[in-house]
Amino acid sequence: MKKIAVFCGSSLGFSEVYKNDAIKLGTYFADNKISLVYGGGKIGMMGALADSILKKNGEVIGVIPGLLRHEEVAHSNISEMIVTKTMSDRKVTISKLVDGYIALPGGFGTLDEIFEALTLSQLGIEQKPVGILNTNGFFNHLIKQLAVMVAEGYLKESNKNMLITADSVEELITKMNTYKAPKITKVINKIVS
Ligand code: AMP
């Protein structure tokens, strides 16, 4: 993987543990020549992640909707900033650039972005690895909710398993590098044929 999208909080959260995770992931990217594609912010987890890569002269590409760029939140010092018209355009632009997706702790924005990536996989539109770094069990309840969705018949076990989970950066990247997307009959093909 040469370029990975990372979705994470525009807030730092209350525990240093998560900020340290962002820094660990960023350092790994810079050391292994992986480019970061992210929301383009300088605040919260996003800022900590971007800064840890820039500090080691790694590549950071921001993709930000024009609306957010004018706020005091856009990073002014990254390798490249792509400005999109809308929030939806941002997702499309990011998906065209990257080989995989990672979520770190965050809120609604983070969940929206990682679940869109999973939805693209579920529909067979993309075959890229999608992973979450589950330090400190941050995503445990979310993982349990996915199990409830399977048990209640709303999510296929095989689709649930598309979400890669790991407790460390190294484990996460290893799992993502060896990820094999399940064969899916594209819904779109089914509709048009
Ligand atoms: P949240 O998890 O709700 O804090 O939202 C963070 C995610 O949404 C990031 O991955 C960003 O892509 C996007 N996002 C939310 N707020 C901003 C912002 N102020 N500037 C840039 N991106 C943002």
Side-chain angles (χ1 to χ4, degrees):
M1 288 180 294
K2 289 201 167 72
K3 282 196 177 87
I4 299 180
V6 180
F7 306 128
C8 57
S10 50
S11 307
L12 261 187
F14 298 133
S15 167
E16 280 275 303
V17 168
Y18 305 120
K19 179 187 172 190
N20 290 340
D21 254 15
I23 294 170
K24 266 190 226 161
L25 185 66
T27 305
Y28 185 96
F29 275 24
D31 288 346
N32 292 278
K33 305 266 173 288
I34 298 169
S35 301
L36 169 71
V37 178
Y38 84 122
K42 68 172 179 192
I43 49 174
M45 294 283 283
M46 285 194 282
L49 172 69
D51 288 340
S52 66
I53 298 176
L54 295 168
K55 209 167 123 188
K56 300 200 87 188
N57 296 316
E59 188 179 40
V60 175
I61 302 166
V63 184
I64 197 163
L67 194 80
L68 289 179
R69 201 194 186 181
H70 300 300
E71 287 183 28
E72 288 297 293
V73 293
H75 207 302
S76 53
N77 225 359
I78 54 180
S79 322
E80 187 185 347
M81 184 72 95
I82 301 170
V83 182
T84 65
K85 238 179 165 176
T86 65
M87 295 284 282
S88 310
D89 291 340
R90 160 153 79 181
K91 286 187 186 141
V92 175
T93 302
I94 291 177
S95 78
K96 282 185 184 152
L97 287 173
V98 303
D99 311 306
Y101 305 90
I102 291 175
L104 299 178
F108 278 161
T110 301
L111 286 188
D112 168 51
E113 292 166 328
I114 204 73
F115 277 107
E116 164 126 355
L118 284 168
T119 306
L120 292 177
S121 295
Q122 174 174 264
L123 295 173
I125 295 167
E126 287 192 353
Q127 287 80 30
K128 299 170 188 173
V130 181
I132 52 178
L133 189 55
N134 193 26
T135 312
N136 212 23
F138 179 83
F139 288 109
N140 282 353
H141 290 92
L142 187 73
I143 294 166
K144 275 192 192 140
Q145 181 60 43
L146 300 184
V148 170
M149 291 174 183
V150 172
E152 297 291 346
Y154 291 104
L155 176 65
K156 283 189 187 156
E157 179 82 37
S158 56
N159 289 342
K160 174 177 163 280
N161 294 340
M162 285 173 171
L163 180 63
I164 298 162
T165 64
D167 297 330
S168 74
V169 170
E170 290 75 14
E171 184 194 355
L172 183 62
I173 302 287
T174 304
K175 283 182 171 176
M176 288 177 74
N177 274 330
T178 53
Y179 174 76
K180 294 240 175 322
K183 276 226 167 317
I184 288 168
T185 312
K186 289 187 186 174
V187 174
I188 290 158
N189 291 349
K190 271 190 220 158
I191 293 166
V192 292
S193 60

